[in-house]
Amino acid sequence: MPGSPEMWIHLDRLDPGSPVLAEVRTAYGPAVARWRGDLADPPGRYRVEWTIDEERVAVRPASGTGPEIRCEGQLLVLRGEFDGEAVLRVGDAIVLLDLAARPPGPLELAVPREHVELYPYRT
């Protein structure tokens, strides 16, 4: 399957609270999520992998078409195409999930932002 578990983001700001939250921009919209990189990471471009706490996910029908990432209050919403087994495609990136009981097609995941983690790749 084409796609990669990584996505390019632009880190705008880290909020050093507990948990450390990152304000980022993606090609699909802005996001706020837990940062699993170094607290000293400067703003800039990073390749990250998304990890989602599946026990905290609310799955709902897609409210629009195409990939999108957005914030709704304290929730982070990812919209993409679900393969019916374990992959949500958000543009060229994939997010691995265990939602096997869901049929394939467009859907949205709404997750409290503290339960979505961004792991930057180090090269």
Side-chain angles (χ1 to χ4, degrees):
M1 165 187 278
S4 170
E6 58 196 53
M7 178 185 290
W8 285 102
I9 59 105
H10 187 276
L11 173 64
D12 287 334
R13 183 175 92 79
L14 291 176
D15 177 357
S18 182
V20 175
L21 295 175
E23 293 178 15
V24 303
R25 288 177 279 141
T26 75
Y28 310 105
V32 175
R34 286 181 89 154
W35 185 250
R36 292 302 193 176
D38 191 312
L39 285 176
D41 284 337
R45 193 168 184 229
Y46 292 84
R47 269 186 357 196
V48 298
E49 184 172 325
W50 296 79
T51 301
I52 296 173
D53 181 348
E54 295 165 5
E55 294 181 10
R56 304 290 185 147
V57 170
V59 180
R60 56 193 191 197
S63 64
T65 59
E68 181 181 32
I69 297 174
R70 68 180 185 279
C71 295
E72 289 182 358
Q74 299 298 307
L75 296 176
L76 181 63
V77 178
L78 292 97
R79 183 173 65 214
E81 190 71 25
F82 186 61
D83 74 349
E85 293 183 22
V87 172
L88 178 71
R89 180 176 304 286
V90 181
D92 291 335
I94 59 173
V95 178
L96 301 175
L97 302 162
D98 183 12
L99 300 175
R102 303 292 304 185
L107 60 80
E108 289 183 351
L109 305 177
V111 189
R113 62 189 188 182
E114 323 53 60
H115 296 282
V116 179
E117 299 175 325
L118 299 172
Y119 287 87
Y121 279 81
R122 302 288 183 211
T123 55

